């Protein structure tokens, strides 16, 4: 039976919500964007289907067919480490709890894509100033969860470090 503190940890809930949102949006993207991109806000924000066999935002190197399994293994190890971070942090450290939950959910969301298809991770959110000159690499809900979670985790760790330095005399 989980303790009261365990029940207050949102880790698995956040992982689940992130996975569901990510999966649903990717299924819709594959169904609706096969023919052509959809402009949402002119060319600034559009939905365009892309497959990424590499690292996040298509920025990382690929290792051919091994990329699928290498990045998959990294996602599993990362999710396990994040779960441990959630358990080691106090349940009252909401920022840390949310951060690791979102990062793990995003990592597992992209892992599911890698397991389901050798084409890679489904990306569909395309942001930029114009079609040809400056565009951010296409991304998805899982990538947003990982990115936002990473920023929140950095802030949480910084607050922890600041509190520790204040508590240490000298």
């Amino acid at each position: 039976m989980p303790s009261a503190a365990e029940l207050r940890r949102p880790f698995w809930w956040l992982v689940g919500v992130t996975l569901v949102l990510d999966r649903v949006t990717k299924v819709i993207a594959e169904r609706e964007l096969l023919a052509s991109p959809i402009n949402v806000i002119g060319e600034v924000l559009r939905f365009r289907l892309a497959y990424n066999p590499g690292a996040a935002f298509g920025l990382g190197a690929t290792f051919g067919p091994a990329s699928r399994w290498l990045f998959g293994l990294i996602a599993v190890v990362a999710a396990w480490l994040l779960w441990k971070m959630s358990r080691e942090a106090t349940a009252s450290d909401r920022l840390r709890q949310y951060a690791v939950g979102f990062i793990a959910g995003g990592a597992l969301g992209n892992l599911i894509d890698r397991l389901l298809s050798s084409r890679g991770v489904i990306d569909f959110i395309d942001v930029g100033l114009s079609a040809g000159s400056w565009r951010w690499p296409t991304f998805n809900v899982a990538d947003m969860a990982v990115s936002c979670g990473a920023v929140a985790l950095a802030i949480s760790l910084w607050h922890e470090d600041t509190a520790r330095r204040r508590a240490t005399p000298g």
Side-chain angles (χ1 to χ4, degrees), residues 38-164:
I38 297 172
N39 289 340
V40 179
I41 303 173
E43 288 189 2
V44 173
L45 172 62
R46 62 186 182 185
F47 296 145
R48 179 181 62 86
L49 184 62
Y51 294 94
N52 173 14
F57 300 111
L59 299 175
T62 61
F63 304 99
S67 292
R68 180 179 185 191
W69 305 110
L70 176 64
F71 290 124
L73 177 63
I74 291 169
V76 169
V77 170
W80 178 76
L81 289 171
L82 292 159
W83 171 75
K84 286 189 60 78
M85 285 181 80
S86 171
R87 298 209 13 107
E88 291 169 1
T90 63
S92 62
D93 185 351
R94 301 313 260 176
L95 184 58
R96 176 87 47 99
Q97 294 295 330
Y98 278 65
V100 296
F102 283 131
I103 297 168
L108 293 173
N110 284 338
L111 170 64
I112 289 170
D113 287 3
R114 292 182 195 287
L115 294 175
L116 293 178
S117 172
S118 61
R119 292 179 292 187
V121 173
I122 300 164
D123 288 331
F124 61 92
I125 302 169
D126 182 14
V127 178
L129 297 178
S130 68
S133 62
W134 186 90
R135 302 211 66 81
W136 186 259
T138 307
F139 58 98
N140 58 46
V141 171
D143 294 335
M144 289 189 303
V146 169
S147 298
C148 293
V151 169
L153 181 58
I155 292 168
S156 173
L157 292 169
W158 176 71
H159 283 296
E160 181 180 294
D161 186 53
T162 301
R164 188 177 348 188

